[in-house]
Amino acid sequence: MIANGSRLLSFRNLVWYEQTVPDAPDAFTGFIDTDAIPLHPEADVYLCGPVPFMQMVRAGLHRRGVPDERIRYEVFGSEQWRPAPVPTPA
């Protein structure tokens, strides 16, 4: 992602991991504090990760005034946004 983002004039890549990763010294550890993210008023924000993570970050971005049109995301896997179907008795 950094290679692709480097083509943009004002790209900034911030990474969080649940636990410290020795190979990623610039990564943040723990839960994201959306109030601590440096955010330009007209920034486009890109998210990827587990659905609960993206929901939490999206809610924090909304609190900071970022509209849906400026939040992009990618869901990995199928059926993650919908609840699991309830099996019907045979």
Side-chain angles (χ1 to χ4, degrees), residues 22 28 30 39 42 56 58 63 74-75 81 90:
F28 297 91
L39 193 58
E42 296 181 21
M56 179 198 70
R58 184 172 170 258
R63 281 192 304 276
E74 185 169 344
V75 176
W81 285 107

Side-chain angles (χ1 to χ4, degrees), residues 19-77:
Q19 298 175 343
T20 302
V21 177
D23 295 342
D26 294 333
F28 297 91
T29 302
F31 291 110
I32 292 179
D33 176 2
T34 53
D35 293 327
I37 297 172
L39 193 58
H40 185 277
E42 296 181 21
D44 288 318
V45 180
Y46 295 83
L47 305 173
C48 62
V51 172
F53 157 80
M54 291 193 296
Q55 290 171 327
M56 179 198 70
V57 173
R58 184 172 170 258
L61 293 169
H62 283 161
R63 281 192 304 276
R64 292 192 60 191
V66 180
D68 280 333
E69 317 61 76
R70 300 191 87 81
I71 301 173
R72 313 273 192 269
Y73 58 89
E74 185 169 344
V75 176
F76 295 99

